[in-house]
Each structure stands twice: as C-alpha cells, then as structure tokens.
Amino acid sequence: MTHDRSAGILAHPTSFPGPHGIGDLGTRAHQFVEWLAAAEQRLWQVLPLGPTGMGNSPYASPSAFAGNPLLISLERLVEQGYLTEGRIAPAAPFPDHTVNFDAVIPFKRDALWDAFLAFRASSSDFDQPGFAHFCRDNAEWLDDYALFMAIKDSRNDQFWMEWPKELRFRDGPALERFLNENSDRFAYYRFEQFIFQQQWAEVKDHANRVGIQIVGDIPIYVAEDSADVWANPDQYRLDGERRPTVVTGVPPDYFSEDGQLWGNPMYDWLAMEQDGFAWWKRRIAATRSLVDIVRVDHFRGFAAGWVVPSGHETAREGWWEAGPGRTIFDALGLAPGDNQIVVEDLGLITADVHQLRDDLGFPGMKVLQFAFDGNSRGQYLPHMYERNCVVYPGTHDNQTTVGWFQHLPDHVRWQVQSYLGSDGSDIAWDFIRLALASVADTAIVPLQDVMRQGDEARMNTPGVAVGNWRWRYLEHELHDGLSAGMAELTRIFGRTVSPARTFEFDPFDYGAPNSEHPLVRRRDVGGM
C-alpha cells in the first residue's frame, strides 16, 4: 500500500450494469475506470477474482489461481468475431439491480461454449499462438484446474470426493483415458481462462495508465471442492480417504453468535514449510500478476487459526492452532514494510496478531462502523489511528452505512451524531468525509456508500449461506455529480496527486440541494 495519502473505491466487477445479468470486463468496466479517474481516486479494490463456488461466493472458489468466467464480456467476444449479436441476446431480460446466478450461469456458459467452438475453428494467427503461449506459461496450475473442471462437468458438478476412486486419487492411466475421451471439455476450460486473462489485462492496463492501482483480495484458505485440494492433497490435513480431519472458521464474534463455520480444509503448515511454501509462492505470484496491491484476507490465520472437527454443525466447538507466523512471509520474500500488501486484521484479534502485523510493517484495516459501540476509546475511532492503516466506512461484509445507521439503537446513534457534529441526514457522505479526513494513509469507500444506498445494496451477510454477492447498480447511478464530489473531498484532505486548487463551491453552503454536487445539501442541524 502506498505510504503517502491516497483514496479509493471498493466495487466488484459483478456489480457493474449491463444486459447479461452480471457485471463484466467489457465497456462498463472501462467506464468505471474513467469514473474513478474523474473522481481523482488512486485505488480500486475488488473482491477475489476467481470462479465462484458454494453460495456463489468468491471466497469459496474451485481454484486459487483461475479467473471468474462469469466476468467475461460477451460483447467483447462479438467484437472479436467469436459470437454474434443475436447469440448474446437473452431470451428474457435479466434483473437490473441484482444478479440471478441461477439464470446467469447457464446463459453465459452456453454462450462461452459457442465462442470456444468458433475460436477453435477460426481464431486468428494472433490468437492461436497467444493461446498456446498462455497455456504453456500457466500449465503448472491451468492443467490441473481444467482437468478438475472437465471431470466435474462430465459428472454434473459432482463434488470430487464422490468421484470414482481412480479419479479422486488421480490415477495416471484413468486421467489419461478421461482426457482422451473429453479433450473438448479440457480445452474449453483453458480457453475460458485465456479469454478472462485477456479481458482483465485490458481493464488493468487501462486503470494503470490513468494512475489507478488495483487492490486484489487473496482469501487465506481454499475451498474443499477445489482443484487446489484435489491436486495437492499433501498440503492439507486430510485422512486416508482425503477427507478433511479439521476445517476452518472463526469463533462467535460481532457477526455471528455461533461463529462462522467456513468448512475449508486446514493447511498442513509443517508440510508446506518443508517444501519452502512452494504452493504459496505460486499463489502469490499468480495474484500479483492480476493486481497491484494484495489484501490478505483473515491475516490472523497466519498467527493462529480456528479449527473445528469435521462434521460439526457450528464453529463453537473449535480451538486455536498456531499458524506459520513470520516464517511464511520470510519464505515468500515479503519484506517488512512491503508497500504492496495490506492485511485484514478484523474480528477477534489477539496480541500475537498485532505483533506479527507490526513486525512485518503491513498496514491493517479500520472500519468506522466498528468504532461506535459506546466506548469513547475504541481502536476504530479515527482519533486513535496510526498512519499505517487503511480505513473503510464498512466492507463487503458490513451493512451499507445508510442501512447500519438506520438500525442503530438510539444511544449509539447519538454517539455517532455527537462524534460527527452532524445530524446524520447524509450519514454515508459524513462517513466518507470522516474516512478521508483521518490520518490513515489510505481510505477506501464502498461504492454503495458513495451512492448513498441502503441495505438493499448490501453485498454479503457473514454466516448467511444464500442471497449474497448479488448487488448491481444501474447505469445512471454512477454519475458525474458523484465523481465531482469525491474528487473535491479527495483534494480537500490531500489524497490526490493533482495540485491543490481553489474550492469550486462553498462547503458550508447548506442552501437548496444541488443534485450535481453531493457535498452541497440541505440539512437540519438541530442546534448541533
């Protein structure tokens, strides 16, 4: 993370508007980059970019290396000649404000299969060598992933632990027979990844050219039903049948009284250390090829992880087990103070986690919504911050700021209003101002808060398995008035690379609301 003051926006590409039921890496992604530049933001944070898994979660991916094919722009494939306009027209309109995954997944999968057939039949002299080069450079993970997905596809998405034993245990002759009989499926999954990488590289290059760095997310654990576990069973704590002996989660906390039972198989940290954390080296390298800055999710798991015996229904009956600590970061060559790393250090954090974070010099996270609990000296209150941190009004796991404020008890709402010196009538932008004004080197704001949206726009509710990751905004909601307001606040608080200039409006003019400038609005100050 940069060591000077910067600001950014948290928005996952699935939230972009468009006609195909889910945001993608086409025109709207590039328009969003231009909006960020107009807003004078220097960072764009995304959620994990991998294929989604159980509950459509990007944190339950079948691969720690692959990209999400649902993000592939069909319009871009039309431009390349692999699809026609008629082929990508949905039979019925998709919802505008939400992702209907049950409808989107088969629609996009069928279209991408047709694009694959067209690519294989008539791809250009440029694309065919590019595809071969991509497959060669990424063979170490790509071949296992494509084979894993091809087998699942042939077996109606069956969990790999239910496959015939010879496939489950990766018997060489059995895998060779499968490949011979399913070469098209195998090639298709490599094609998906090739196209994803092409389109994402175009978006990332656009962002970098206009001065925006992308902050990517690396979940600490991987899904049990993944190519990673299937292809690398020695890296996990599995029994003789390759079933996890213990799984991951977190104990009861702010989000859930039963804790969260994630169900990921726990790493065999000793086995990983013995080979120099080779899998992690490949994973970090793959992530850094996609993003500029890596946010390490659930950093506390490197100090100690919460493990639960397999088969338990909640995370209550678990215990803490020591993680690899600094050893893994030294092995990965992540030097203390690496300014391309930020760590998620939220939840039940103990002294050893803080010590590890501080020894490494990585910035942690502060969430403004966590600051207001009746405690005037809470660590999340901005006057308690150190500079080396990243402040958020809320994250993808929180309510939107508007929704959060609406549901506060009266005494906590009074604490918020007293701290802000505001009546809270524009609470989302009050929190944006508070984040940007803080001493934190970096401030990142969820796009829903910029748009002043309520809980209908919430991205995820931890501990709830269904109904998440669905929010999308409408095209007109990302307008120039919002970018102008963000740019002005970003300048005011010294978080832009642009030279300082005279204010273009009176920030204390609470006259008639001006829809073109979000900072100027009427409020009833109520004697405050």
Side-chain angles (χ1 to χ4, degrees):
M1 191 63 69
T2 57
H3 289 306
D4 54 351
R5 288 173 67 78
S6 60
I9 300 293
L10 168 59
H12 198 52
T14 57
S15 296
F16 297 155
H20 299 131
I22 190 169
D24 60 42
L25 303 178
T27 300
R28 282 81 176 179
H30 292 274
Q31 290 172 343
F32 181 70
V33 168
E34 289 297 321
W35 182 90
L36 287 172
E40 301 199 22
Q41 302 302 287
R42 297 167 60 188
L43 301 168
W44 170 19
Q45 182 172 327
V46 297
L47 303 180
L49 292 167
T52 54
M54 183 179 296
N56 303 304
S57 170
Y59 291 90
S61 179
S63 173
F65 296 82
N68 186 356
L70 295 179
L71 293 177
I72 291 174
S73 166
L74 301 182
E75 292 171 329
R76 182 78 179 90
L77 292 176
V78 171
E79 294 171 7
Q80 292 177 284
Y82 300 130
L83 292 172
T84 65
E85 289 284 356
R87 177 62 188 84
I88 68 171
F94 288 104
D96 290 328
H97 255 315
T98 61
V99 180
N100 179 350
F101 285 98
D102 289 341
V104 164
I105 291 171
F107 170 78
K108 294 206 78 166
R109 170 67 188 278
D110 290 348
L112 289 172
W113 179 261
D114 286 350
F116 161 68
L117 295 178
F119 172 88
R120 188 177 60 176
S122 61
S123 57
S124 69
D125 292 339
F126 170 79
D127 279 343
Q128 282 291 11
F131 179 57
H133 188 270
F134 169 78
C135 292
R136 183 173 60 251
D137 285 354
N138 294 278
E140 196 164 28
W141 67 265
L142 180 62
D143 289 352
D144 282 330
Y145 169 73
L147 182 55
F148 176 82
M149 294 301 294
I151 297 173
K152 283 182 71 69
D153 187 10
S154 73
R155 303 187 66 83
N156 296 315
D157 201 34
Q158 188 180 42
F159 177 35
W160 72 269
M161 282 301 303
E162 298 172 1
W163 296 350
K165 188 171 183 177
E166 63 271 17
L167 295 178
R168 181 157 42 97
F169 281 80
R170 296 174 55 86
D171 175 71
L175 293 181
E176 187 174 351
R177 284 194 302 273
F178 178 87
L179 271 174
N180 289 337
E181 296 167 2
N182 296 271
S183 58
D184 284 354
R185 282 192 173 101
F186 177 75
Y188 166 77
Y189 284 104
R190 297 203 298 176
F191 165 79
E192 271 190 347
Q193 292 307 303
F194 173 61
I195 297 299
F196 171 86
Q197 294 274 356
Q198 272 190 339
Q199 294 190 1
W200 176 251
E202 291 171 357
V203 173
K204 181 177 182 295
D205 180 65
H206 185 177
N208 291 166
R209 280 188 285 107
V210 297
I212 296 163
Q213 290 190 302
I214 295 177
V215 183
D217 207 321
I218 187 165
I220 182 174
Y221 302 121
V222 301
E224 181 183 1
D225 193 15
S226 69
D228 307 291
V229 180
W230 176 67
N232 306 280
D234 59 314
Q235 304 283 287
Y236 304 89
R237 290 167 59 181
L238 310 178
D239 64 19
E241 291 297 311
R242 299 194 173 175
R243 299 184 186 278
T245 57
V246 291
V247 297
T248 63
V250 292
D253 63 6
Y254 173 88
F255 290 116
S256 172
E257 63 181 16
D258 285 329
Q260 297 174 48
L261 185 62
W262 295 338
N264 313 84
M266 176 54 80
Y267 297 118
D268 187 335
W269 290 118
L270 291 178
M272 287 186 155
E273 185 174 2
Q274 287 173 2
D275 70 6
F277 298 99
W279 181 85
W280 272 98
K281 289 178 180 177
R282 297 194 298 272
R283 186 183 189 190
I284 292 291
T287 302
R288 283 188 147 172
S289 72
L290 296 175
V291 301
D292 302 296
I293 297 165
V294 177
R295 173 192 176 271
V296 180
D297 189 55
H298 197 61
F299 174 74
R300 76 142 299 119
F302 292 104
W306 187 256
V307 298
V308 181
S310 292
H312 284 233
E313 294 185 358
T314 77
R316 285 182 174 275
E317 293 79 22
W319 60 87
W320 292 109
E321 286 192 356
R326 181 164 178 168
T327 303
I328 186 172
F329 294 97
D330 289 340
L332 295 174
L334 300 178
D338 187 325
N339 65 2
Q340 302 305 305
I341 299 287
V342 60
V343 299
E344 185 269 297
D345 56 347
L346 305 174
L348 182 58
I349 303 300
T350 49
D352 58 332
V353 184
H354 288 146
Q355 189 65 53
L356 178 61
R357 180 200 64 199
D358 293 344
D359 286 348
L360 293 166
F362 296 152
M365 292 173 53
K366 307 292 186 184
V367 176
L368 291 177
Q369 289 183 21
F370 294 169
F372 299 100
D373 58 1
N375 182 355
S376 64
R377 294 188 57 79
Q379 63 171 315
Y380 295 113
L381 287 165
H383 67 270
M384 302 291 289
Y385 292 175
E386 67 280 359
R387 286 188 56 192
N388 189 32
C389 68
V390 185
V391 59
Y392 299 78
T395 74
H396 64 276
D397 282 333
N398 297 108
Q399 294 176 270
T400 67
T401 296
V402 169
W404 169 81
F405 188 70
Q406 288 174 341
H407 291 90
L408 287 180
D410 290 343
H411 73 283
V412 179
R413 187 179 296 109
W414 175 249
Q415 182 196 9
V416 174
Q417 293 170 322
S418 298
Y419 193 91
L420 294 172
S422 161
D423 67 347
S425 59
D426 194 10
I427 189 64
W429 276 69
D430 285 341
F431 264 41
I432 292 172
R433 177 183 286 271
L434 187 61
L436 295 177
S438 76
V439 298
D441 283 337
T442 306
I444 296 179
V445 178
L447 185 61
Q448 295 96 315
D449 286 349
V450 178
M451 294 177 171
R452 299 180 169 92
Q453 299 214 13
D455 276 347
E456 72 282 355
R458 183 171 185 169
M459 199 64 168
N460 181 49
T461 303
V464 176
V466 297
N468 296 313
W469 319 109
R470 301 178 65 218
W471 175 71
R472 301 174 71 202
Y473 64 85
L474 302 180
E475 199 128 17
H476 72 271
E477 292 175 321
L478 191 77
H479 57 76
D480 292 345
L482 296 179
S483 61
M486 286 300 299
E488 199 72 58
L489 277 184
T490 303
R491 291 187 212 110
I492 289 170
F493 296 114
R495 295 185 181 274
T496 176
V497 293
S498 301
R501 62 183 184 179
T502 304
F503 293 141
E504 296 177 349
F505 72 103
D506 178 357
F508 300 103
D509 175 12
Y510 295 113
N514 178 350
S515 63
E516 293 303 310
H517 210 306
L519 298 188
V520 181
R521 71 274 188 190
R522 184 187 303 277
R523 65 166 75 185
D524 176 8
V525 297
M528 295 176 62

